[in-house]
Amino acid sequence: MSECLKRSIYFFLAMTFLASASAVQAEDTENHKTLSPYFFIENGDPSVDRFPLKSNDVHVNINGVLADVIITQKYANAGARPINARYIFPAATRAAVHGMTLKIGEHIIRAKIKERNLAQKEFNTAKKQGKSASLLKQQRPNVFSMNVANIMPKDIVEIELHYTELLVPTDGTYEFIYPTVVGPRYSSQSEADSPETDRWIKNPYLVQGRAPGTEFNIALSISTGIPLQEVVCPSHETEISWESKSMARILMAKSEKSAGNRDFILNYRLTGKTIESGLMLYSGEEENFFLLMVQPPEQVRPADIPPREYIFVVDISGSMNGFPLNTAKKLLKNLIGHLRESDKFNVVLFAGGSKVMAPASVPASGKNIHSAIRLIDRQQGGGGTELSSALKKALSLPGDETYSRTILIITDGYISAEKDVFHLIQQNLDRTNVFSFGIGSSVNRYLIEGMAKAGQGEPFVVTKPHQAPGAAERFRNYVQSPVLTRIAVKYDGFETYDIEPPAIPDLFAQRPIMVFGKWRGNPRGVIELTGLGGSGEFLQTFNVSETKPLELNSALRYLWARTRIGRLSDFNFKKNTPENKAQITALGLTYDLLTAYTSFVAVHEVVRNSEAPAEDVHQPLPLPLNVSNLAVGGSMSRVPEPELYLLLVIALLIFITTMGHKTYFRRRTQGPFDRRSLQQVMEIRGERTPQTKKVRFKRRVDGCRRRANAERML
């Protein structure tokens, strides 16, 4: 076979391999690419406005324990082509969203609540017909999506959202939280097979440090009826003005430049650290509602505390890199460093995989504590966030029945499979309880609160390093002694039904017990709440006839419905059944509430875009404050990357070239009947042989000698 023919065959094989590899890779990438956030890249097309959301204005009115919130999202199209905008944004986990309006110029359209699929269908039809429309959907209890269709050039579109939230104090401190940004979620599921409710995860993000293109403003007013002792905003620079001892107004300071990349947090206390408690009544046209708030007894620590086993499950993924992980390290050093010698502990670190400090929990000796802290200090943060597998590993560790086991999960919560984690925790309630620590400026509070709720523990959120010691101290107090156990409520002469929650779990924190419900007939009779505290039996009674129904309490109907939906949907740790879905849908439609199965839709019944279809634009989100670029991963494939195929082809081509060169060299240096010496071969190739090297060295030496003799003669 001629060498030319051989090289042709090699080249044909290489090209065939490259073509088949590319086809397989393209097919596998399409089928197995994971659902992932990605970085926004400017496309350079000036005719399309890629940042249509121009501002977020929030107005909050806090009256007693109720927060009434109105959000105005302003969209504008500065480009030359019509656009369809999508914006992913967060909300408080307990927010009851009960209204939306769409404003285009002088036209105001009030949105209707409809079943999710019907609302989507109506929106799609309006979009296709060239009408302007808006669609609000719940993707998670704390993550919403807003779609706005056919925003024409130079348009200004305003969307107004209305929600109500109940504020529950802890240790005498009330806290209002307004989340401003959804952090990037880790997901290992295939994009092709992902459900519609998870598609929002694939969203563009700006690189770390780039300011959001949307202005954020918030204004709050507080009216408590009881003198305020303190009002503090630890998250943002604010300006506080006092209208009276019990009324204050809070505005964003002009010096606050980048306000929309972290949770807005406002804390306030009443004089003497008291809390509002008692009974609230509302009498509606068709239904009546009540809210009972009971101040628990003072916490008493028992003298004899049984030994405990603590398992620390720590997130070291890419989103925890830098500030979040450094804060987590500080928290862990405090938690582990204060364990008693009678306790045991272990550490499970997780990212894309997980590893355990020891095969079984070890005594909390000085040596073991020092080893654990050194292990934690070495972590840097990187990779995915496989919390479920790490939790399974922690739960499978061998235990000692004489020890009470507590699992502490420390994470920013940037995962998408929240309910899988909830279900796993609830399946193991007979063996452990779970406390969760959210670390970061904008954590996934749905996951943090849900894990604690499923594990009958308490959630903590640490946004700054200096908060770590306080959070650790509160945790120790909660674990050592619950405030109240065996809680029961009895209604005597007061006809009630649809009580939420149906059963009240043990109370760890110093916060009021909250009970919602409906009532019939006249408001009379007695309510009794009993339990077992550190000082013995606890009893508190309320005379219903002493409380009058007030129109100001009309938000109770939304809060009752939202509490029931939360139990059926948000923190339902079992698989949703058709009956469960039907109940949630009925609640949403009856009480005009946004749920997983009901959405708000508004359509402006005028054809405004009769030309080419509008361009779909996904509003890029900023990374939360102190979250690194490692939190955003590109498409992750379970097949080899394209670069691997390219390297293989290059290697094959190099092999072909080398074989051709060797053949050519062999023909130049080797005849059919004789073999030349190595020196002859090297001379043909122009390389230095040992003999030529000696000759050249001798010439250089002779030259030096001649120059030296000439200098002596001179």
Side-chain angles (χ1 to χ4, degrees):
M1 182 183 296
S2 68
E3 293 302 325
C4 181
L5 180 60
K6 285 183 180 180
R7 285 198 295 273
S8 299
I9 293 174
Y10 289 147
F11 182 78
F12 174 76
L13 290 175
M15 292 301 101
T16 303
F17 178 80
L18 177 59
S20 59
S22 299
V24 170
Q25 194 275 333
E27 181 180 357
D28 286 345
T29 298
E30 181 67 24
N31 294 334
H32 300 295
K33 189 166 57 176
T34 59
L35 201 64
S36 303
Y38 58 94
F39 284 117
F40 170 75
I41 300 175
E42 296 279 2
N43 67 355
D45 185 354
S47 66
V48 178
D49 189 344
R50 298 290 173 182
F51 293 84
L53 180 65
K54 306 307 179 186
S55 66
N56 258 322
D57 291 306
V58 184
H59 293 271
V60 184
N61 182 27
I62 298 173
N63 192 349
V65 295
L66 303 178
D68 188 70
V69 183
I70 296 177
I71 306 166
T72 303
Q73 298 175 353
K74 183 181 290 185
Y75 298 84
N77 185 356
R81 295 168 55 187
I83 58 173
N84 303 314
R86 188 195 74 170
Y87 172 47
I88 302 297
F89 63 101
T93 55
R94 295 187 294 270
V97 182
H98 52 82
M100 183 182 89
T101 59
L102 167 65
K103 181 181 178 182
I104 303 175
E106 300 299 322
H107 301 278
I108 299 177
I109 301 97
R110 183 175 178 80
K112 298 177 182 179
I113 190 75
K114 295 190 175 184
E115 290 188 35
R116 185 181 179 114
N117 292 337
L118 294 178
Q120 182 72 61
K121 184 178 179 180
E122 183 175 338
F123 175 82
N124 290 344
T125 301
K127 176 181 174 181
K128 187 176 181 180
Q129 292 174 345
K131 299 176 182 179
S132 295
S134 61
L135 175 68
L136 175 65
K137 295 192 294 184
Q138 176 183 302
Q139 307 296 354
R140 293 290 189 275
N142 65 333
V143 178
F144 303 153
S145 65
M146 178 66 74
N147 290 80
V148 186
N150 292 305
I151 306 176
M152 305 303 291
K154 298 182 180 180
D155 263 358
I156 295 179
V157 178
E158 292 186 358
I159 311 289
E160 185 177 281
L161 307 178
H162 195 181
Y163 77 80
T164 303
E165 181 183 358
L166 178 69
L167 303 182
V168 182
T170 300
D171 295 328
T173 299
Y174 289 83
E175 185 174 61
F176 172 79
I177 300 170
Y178 183 84
T180 64
V181 64
V182 176
R185 299 295 195 264
Y186 169 81
S187 174
S188 58
Q189 61 182 314
S190 167
E191 181 179 342
D193 301 329
S194 62
E196 181 268 335
T197 52
D198 285 349
R199 299 285 171 84
W200 64 271
I201 295 170
K202 186 177 181 180
N203 198 79
Y205 279 84
L206 303 176
V207 296
Q208 183 183 14
R210 180 170 174 179
T214 303
E215 292 183 7
F216 171 70
N217 293 293
I218 188 168
L220 305 93
S221 62
I222 304 176
S223 178
T224 58
I226 301 173
L228 287 159
Q229 176 178 313
E230 181 183 42
V231 178
V232 178
C233 179
S235 61
H236 292 72
E237 294 292 331
T238 56
E239 297 173 354
I240 301 174
S241 58
W242 295 86
E243 299 180 10
S244 70
K245 291 183 178 180
S246 61
M247 297 179 67
R249 184 168 176 78
I250 301 94
L251 299 175
M252 191 76 72
K254 295 179 180 178
S255 59
E256 187 65 73
K257 300 299 182 183
S258 299
N261 62 354
R262 60 196 184 278
D263 292 352
F264 178 90
I265 302 173
L266 184 76
N267 297 327
Y268 63 95
R269 289 177 177 268
L270 304 179
T271 300
K273 297 184 180 180
T274 58
I275 66 171
E276 294 193 23
S277 62
L279 183 64
M280 297 174 63
L281 298 176
Y282 170 69
S283 179
E285 294 181 2
E286 298 180 0
E287 295 176 311
N288 306 320
F289 298 85
F290 76 88
L291 168 61
L292 178 68
M293 297 178 291
V294 183
Q295 171 78 14
E298 290 294 326
Q299 189 175 42
V300 179
R301 297 186 186 182
D304 185 18
I305 301 174
R308 285 187 170 272
E309 177 194 15
Y310 299 95
I311 300 178
F312 301 91
V313 181
V314 186
D315 184 352
I316 56 170
S317 65
S319 62
M320 291 287 288
N321 182 268
F323 171 85
L325 187 55
N326 293 337
T327 304
K329 289 177 181 179
K330 189 170 184 178
L331 173 68
L332 283 163
K333 289 176 183 178
N334 193 302
L335 290 169
I336 296 175
H338 285 80
L339 295 178
R340 299 171 301 166
E341 292 186 359
S342 59
D343 295 331
K344 290 183 178 180
F345 78 101
N346 210 332
V347 178
V348 179
L349 304 173
F350 74 93
S354 58
K355 55 184 177 182
V356 185
M357 182 187 75
S361 293
V362 297
S365 63
K367 180 181 178 181
N368 289 332
I369 289 175
H370 182 66
S371 298
I373 290 175
R374 281 195 306 167
L375 172 66
I376 294 164
D377 269 338
R378 290 198 299 266
Q379 307 309 315
Q380 298 298 320
T385 315
E386 293 290 349
L387 174 56
S388 292
S389 59
L391 191 54
K392 288 177 183 178
K393 186 170 290 187
L395 291 166
S396 65
L397 290 172
D400 187 337
E401 293 184 358
T402 62
Y403 282 74
S404 177
R405 172 176 283 187
T406 296
I407 291 180
L408 296 88
I409 303 174
I410 301 172
T411 178
D412 55 16
Y414 290 162
I415 68 167
S416 62
E418 293 98 339
K419 287 199 173 183
D420 293 342
V421 175
F422 299 160
H423 186 56
L424 181 60
I425 292 173
Q426 196 188 43
Q427 285 181 318
N428 292 272
L429 275 181
D430 58 332
R431 297 192 299 160
T432 185
N433 62 348
V434 175
F435 288 77
S436 56
F437 287 80
I439 306 293
S441 62
S442 187
V443 302
N444 181 2
R445 292 178 185 265
Y446 172 47
L447 177 71
I448 303 303
E449 294 174 12
M451 290 190 297
K453 195 176 184 72
Q456 295 185 358
E458 285 288 329
F460 301 84
V461 175
V462 179
T463 60
K464 297 180 180 179
H466 73 266
Q467 297 173 347
E473 182 63 25
R474 289 198 305 276
F475 164 75
R476 285 189 289 270
N477 293 339
Y478 293 173
V479 168
Q480 290 171 3
S481 176
V483 174
L484 201 63
T485 62
R486 302 179 188 177
I487 303 170
V489 182
K490 181 182 178 182
Y491 307 92
D492 187 7
F494 183 45
E495 188 179 355
T496 62
Y497 63 105
D498 287 346
I499 304 299
E500 290 293 336
I504 303 174
D506 292 350
L507 182 65
F508 284 93
Q510 193 71 28
R511 70 164 61 98
I513 299 160
M514 317 293 286
V515 181
F516 286 96
K518 299 177 183 178
W519 56 277
R520 298 188 186 97
N522 295 322
R524 61 188 180 186
V526 176
I527 302 176
E528 289 185 353
L529 187 141
T530 59
L532 186 63
S535 301
E537 293 185 358
F538 174 79
L539 169 65
Q540 192 163 351
T541 61
F542 299 86
N543 192 331
V544 178
S545 61
E546 294 178 356
T547 303
K548 294 182 179 181
L550 298 175
E551 185 64 27
L552 290 174
N553 299 332
S554 60
L556 291 182
R557 67 188 302 271
Y558 299 126
L559 296 174
W560 171 86
R562 184 66 186 85
T563 303
R564 172 155 288 196
I565 290 168
R567 179 172 60 84
L568 294 174
S569 177
D570 302 357
F571 303 113
N572 176 30
F573 309 121
K574 299 178 181 178
K575 297 295 183 181
N576 282 328
T577 62
E579 294 78 13
N580 182 278
K581 180 179 178 179
Q583 285 188 61
I584 297 168
T585 303
L587 286 166
L589 296 176
T590 301
Y591 297 97
D592 292 326
L593 287 178
L594 183 70
T595 72
Y597 307 115
T598 55
S599 303
F600 281 103
V601 60
V603 177
H604 183 32
E605 295 293 348
V606 175
V607 176
R608 307 181 69 237
N609 181 16
S610 57
E611 299 179 359
E615 179 88 4
D616 289 336
V617 174
H618 296 174
Q619 175 80 22
L621 303 179
L623 282 176
L625 181 67
N626 297 317
V627 171
S628 76
N629 291 331
L630 294 175
V632 178
S635 299
M636 298 171 61
S637 177
R638 292 191 295 268
V639 297
E641 296 295 330
E643 289 80 2
L644 179 58
Y645 292 115
L646 183 60
L647 287 174
L648 291 173
V649 172
I650 291 173
L652 184 57
L653 292 175
I654 291 173
F655 171 75
I656 294 171
T657 303
T658 304
M659 291 297 295
H661 181 71
K662 286 184 176 179
T663 303
Y664 172 76
F665 166 69
R666 187 166 58 249
R667 287 185 170 184
R668 287 284 307 272
T669 59
Q670 182 178 335
F673 303 106
D674 67 287
R675 182 181 300 275
R676 302 186 181 185
S677 67
L678 176 61
Q679 180 174 333
Q680 290 174 311
V681 171
M682 296 180 72
E683 288 176 350
I684 291 173
R685 295 176 60 181
E687 297 179 0
R688 295 180 181 180
T689 65
Q691 182 175 350
T692 57
K693 289 179 180 179
K694 290 179 180 178
V695 171
R696 291 180 181 179
F697 178 73
K698 186 175 184 299
R699 288 175 180 172
R700 285 197 296 271
V701 172
D702 291 343
C704 291
R705 286 175 178 172
R706 285 195 297 270
R707 284 194 295 272
N709 292 332
E711 290 174 356
R712 282 197 297 270
M713 291 175 65
L714 291 173

